[in-house]
Amino acid sequence: MGQDLRNYTPDDESYWASTGKGIANRNLWISIPSLLCGFAVWLYWGIITVQMINLGFAFEQSQLFTLTAIAGLAGATLRIPSTFFIRIAGGRNTIVFTTALLIIPAVLTGFALTNPDTPLWQFQVLAFLSGIGGGNFSSSMSNISFFFPKKIQGYALGMNAGLGNFGVTTMQIVIPLVMTFGLFGGESMTLQNTSGTFFARIPAGSETYIQNAGFVWLLALVPLVIIGWFGMNNIRDEHVSPNIPNPFGAFGIITGMLLIGFATSVLGIWLMLPGVEGGMPSSGLGLSKWLVLPIVIALTVLGLKLIPGAVGQNLSRQYKIFGNKHTWAMTVIYTMTFGSFIGYSAALALTIKVVFGFQHIEIDGIMTHDTANPDGPSALMFAWMGPFIGALIRPIGGMMADKLGGARVTQWISIVMVASALGVAYFIQAAYASATPQDFFLPFLILFLILFAATGIGNGSTFRTIAVAFNKEQAGPVLGWTAAVAAYGAFIIPQIFGEQMSAGTPEYALYGFAAFYVLCIAINWWFYLRPNAYIKNP
């Protein structure tokens, strides 16, 4: 328990049966709740911002969308350094330390929410810090890939990612519930608009404790840090973590690499977002996100490469994945599945609130979207369903891919994603032009749940493809890299929804996503399904 492992050979069937299976499962079942908390802290802004509207915090809807977007950008960018932590710092050291770091944004967010006059820039800083939880996915997936034999990689990675992604659903259920009573003390606030939990509406005038949205995660994070320290392992074999320093040295390396990711994230936001009163300073450039995101990714990769000494040398070895064409194909395909899942998870609650929580009526010949809809559904009652289904079905996608082939399963679900996205576009267009948008909520929700289910199955199938298409040294970093790029969905999708709602055309967002899915269908077919494919149905 807790010791470093050498000569760990899970593909040796006798070793796996006698020793490896128990070690792997122990590390997996500590990794899952740690990753769950990472997702929860990363994406809790999607629920917190809805409650901030309900409590009358003095921010515009567009400003609140920036909090989910900032957390998304930071979390995605931090996945780039996190991709390479395992070889440099060790699996146990990485998971324990990055889980402990989540305590910082959780505590500070709790304190910031106790005061409705907290300025926007402080919430934006906290959204940046919560990105640590998003970064943890890449290191977690890379770490678990080394513990299991190739023949069950789809299952193992699907379990880690799928149940870890339950952090989104867990957060969406737990936060509304814990805000209903004074679990951690402090002053309550009075709801100005109707709120809810996953099973009931809460009327305006009720008391709520929004600060619990941050504080509640301490109940899990502190025990997990202790359990991880004593229960997880570093694998010291050549293809995993052969030359790691002592734990404190490893923690220092991780901190330095994370700071590079934070710096490039700040630069990206500074280049993109216009200035808002009380918000972070703006460059005034207002550059397109499609230009800035490649710059952020490239600067992060370059900044890590410039680290001197053994760290830079280790990264040079791992950077060989960028010379493999399958790295780039799987980056695009994985962005379709996980990028959609995480982006929709971040945006769904606020989208339900903005589209169905208000009446869309003409006043003096101008279409308005700010009249409260007394018959609108509670976003907090329904937003958890999509991430729940997407996470729950992910291990099933991995097991299907183990039997049928990853590329084949991915192709099937891609077609479903195109059809579902177009259906959601139709009903969201109708709702956003109606004085009674609730009339369109049921078909909107059903199609969105189908879309979430498809992303979950596809997520599991792409894990299988990566595990088969790459050798055992490259598979872990590739998993981390593709997850890093895909995680920008948590930034891009809320941003696009916010922009298109401001323009009065939210359906255009779904049209764009559907077009991207069609491109992914073509790439998946060309690389893995056509006659004479590079690798046939991995």
Side-chain angles (χ1 to χ4, degrees), residues 197-232:
T197 65
F198 78 104
F199 60 83
R201 290 168 65 93
I202 300 176
S206 301
E207 296 302 302
T208 194
Y209 297 82
I210 190 174
Q211 64 268 28
N212 291 349
F215 293 141
V216 69
W217 303 107
L218 300 180
L219 300 179
L221 289 170
V222 173
L224 282 171
V225 170
I226 297 170
I227 293 169
W229 180 257
F230 290 103
M232 299 191 79

Side-chain angles (χ1 to χ4, degrees), residues 103-155:
I103 294 172
I104 298 172
V107 170
L108 294 180
T109 296
F111 281 118
L113 289 170
T114 60
N115 181 8
D117 296 323
T118 299
L120 180 64
W121 71 265
Q122 290 188 22
F123 286 115
Q124 291 174 323
V125 170
L126 293 173
F128 262 115
L129 292 177
S130 69
I132 294 170
N136 289 0
F137 183 82
S138 286
S139 54
S140 179
M141 293 297 287
S142 179
N143 183 51
I144 288 303
S145 73
F146 294 118
F147 280 95
F148 286 83
K150 277 203 171 192
K151 66 181 181 181
I152 56 171
Q153 287 276 316
Y155 160 78

Side-chain angles (χ1 to χ4, degrees), residues 196-286:
T197 65
F198 78 104
F199 60 83
R201 290 168 65 93
I202 300 176
S206 301
E207 296 302 302
T208 194
Y209 297 82
I210 190 174
Q211 64 268 28
N212 291 349
F215 293 141
V216 69
W217 303 107
L218 300 180
L219 300 179
L221 289 170
V222 173
L224 282 171
V225 170
I226 297 170
I227 293 169
W229 180 257
F230 290 103
M232 299 191 79
N233 304 97
N234 301 312
I235 300 176
R236 299 297 299 273
D237 294 323
E238 176 60 30
H239 68 286
V240 187
S241 311
N243 300 306
I244 60 175
N246 63 58
F248 289 105
F251 300 161
I253 290 171
I254 291 170
T255 300
M257 293 174 69
L258 287 175
L259 287 175
I260 292 173
F262 273 122
T264 54
S265 297
V266 170
L267 175 64
I269 290 293
W270 188 68
L271 289 172
M272 277 186 286
L273 295 183
V276 291
E277 185 177 351
M280 301 182 74
S282 170
S283 65
L285 296 180

Side-chain angles (χ1 to χ4, degrees), residues 67 81 112 135 258 306 321 351 421 426 454 463:
L67 299 183
L258 287 175
L306 295 177
I321 64 173
T351 299
Y426 174 81
F463 294 152

Side-chain angles (χ1 to χ4, degrees), residues 44 47-48 170-179 213 216-217:
Y44 57 26
I47 297 298
I48 290 173
T170 302
M171 172 271 296
Q172 291 175 329
I173 292 174
V174 167
I175 288 179
L177 286 174
V178 298
M179 289 191 296
V216 69
W217 303 107

Side-chain angles (χ1 to χ4, degrees), residues 32 42 69 95 138 157 227 230 262 292 297 302 318 395 424 462:
I32 287 171
W42 180 31
I95 304 306
S138 286
L157 295 171
I227 293 169
F230 290 103
F262 273 122
V292 172
I297 294 171
L302 178 62
Q318 295 185 77
V424 171
T462 50

